Amino acid sequence: MNLDIFIKETKKIGLNLTEKQLEQLEKFYQLLISWNEKINLTSITNKEDVYLKHFYDSLTLCKIIDFNKNMSLCDVGTGAGFPGIILKIVFPHLEVTLIDSLNKRITFLNHVIQELKMSEIEAIHIRMEDYSKNNIEKFDIITSRAVAKIQVLSEISFQSLKVGGHLILMKASYIEELESSKEIISKLNGKINNIQNFKLPIENSERTLIDIKKFSSTPKKYPRSMDKIKKSL
């Protein structure tokens, strides 16, 4: 996906990127490639592939959520900053928290935040099941891209989601996972609100956005320890 096609395809999902945003995306790409030589951030390094499989893919969340409103967002298992950094570039008014369990990635993300002169964004080295216990009902949106199974992501994240908030999971395949996650989602006081299937441009690979809405406070016993979560899978 070259830049012209990237701009064209983002317009199709309702985005009109500014010159500043395009410059920030380019700078982020350069930082990603530079740091990737020192620490493993991504196996995708070709520029056109990064713009398609990381940048554009991150922005497909716009298909299911209106990010033009003021809201707080948490990206669980953000890795190299997808989708969190990309969403912050395109929607700078968002309050963004990036969570990752690998400190090297957090060091990279803090460097990106500094280099792109971002505000109202923080990167935290912690596991989400530990973070959510002390940050109850903090976020309007929690998202995660291909990090873990739906039932795991739901349990470790839901305590930190505001009542009325949305957990948006970005998946390739999902049907079997979704079916086995319905019981825990119900116990967490959530419900499947929306599912959108689509294909990435050019390569036509399958993508799915799963919107799980929280309708009342999650019982205090969640999240359980990761050992207990894994035993229940």
Side-chain angles (χ1 to χ4, degrees), residues 56-111:
Y56 176 84
D57 188 52
S58 294
L59 292 172
T60 58
L61 279 166
C62 298
K63 291 175 175 284
I64 207 165
I65 287 288
D66 180 6
F67 287 107
N68 291 303
K69 304 170 185 175
N70 289 328
M71 58 178 70
S72 54
L73 177 140
C74 179
D75 181 8
V76 180
T78 185
F82 307 117
I85 289 284
I86 306 301
L87 291 171
K88 181 64 179 179
I89 288 172
V90 177
F91 301 98
H93 59 278
L94 292 178
E95 294 179 20
V96 175
T97 299
L98 307 171
I99 301 289
D100 202 272
S101 60
L102 192 62
N103 200 37
K104 289 180 180 179
R105 294 188 193 127
I106 296 299
T107 302
F108 164 71
L109 293 169
N110 280 324
H111 182 73

Side-chain angles (χ1 to χ4, degrees), residues 36-152:
N36 202 54
E37 295 177 0
K38 298 180 285 184
I39 62 173
N40 182 27
L41 294 168
T42 178
S43 59
I44 299 168
T45 55
N46 175 274
K47 188 172 183 178
E48 293 192 0
D49 288 340
V50 170
Y51 269 74
L52 173 63
K53 297 178 183 180
H54 285 327
F55 292 5
Y56 176 84
D57 188 52
S58 294
L59 292 172
T60 58
L61 279 166
C62 298
K63 291 175 175 284
I64 207 165
I65 287 288
D66 180 6
F67 287 107
N68 291 303
K69 304 170 185 175
N70 289 328
M71 58 178 70
S72 54
L73 177 140
C74 179
D75 181 8
V76 180
T78 185
F82 307 117
I85 289 284
I86 306 301
L87 291 171
K88 181 64 179 179
I89 288 172
V90 177
F91 301 98
H93 59 278
L94 292 178
E95 294 179 20
V96 175
T97 299
L98 307 171
I99 301 289
D100 202 272
S101 60
L102 192 62
N103 200 37
K104 289 180 180 179
R105 294 188 193 127
I106 296 299
T107 302
F108 164 71
L109 293 169
N110 280 324
H111 182 73
V112 170
I113 290 167
Q114 183 178 12
E115 288 294 307
L116 298 186
K117 297 180 172 59
M118 291 175 161
S119 59
E120 293 189 294
I121 179 170
E122 60 178 344
I124 303 173
H125 173 226
I126 195 170
R127 299 187 69 86
M128 189 61 190
E129 60 268 27
D130 297 324
Y131 180 84
S132 61
K133 290 173 185 174
N134 298 310
N135 291 273
I136 296 172
E137 296 183 5
K138 182 174 181 178
F139 300 107
D140 298 296
I141 304 290
I142 298 177
T143 190
S144 187
R145 191 178 78 137
V147 171
K149 290 183 180 294
I150 294 170
Q151 52 265 58
V152 174

Side-chain angles (χ1 to χ4, degrees), residues 16-33:
N16 290 293
L17 303 179
T18 65
E19 285 300 318
K20 180 183 178 181
Q21 288 166 346
L22 291 171
E23 287 171 5
Q24 285 185 308
L25 288 170
E26 174 62 24
K27 189 167 186 178
F28 180 37
Y29 170 73
Q30 298 297 337
L31 291 168
L32 177 69
I33 298 307

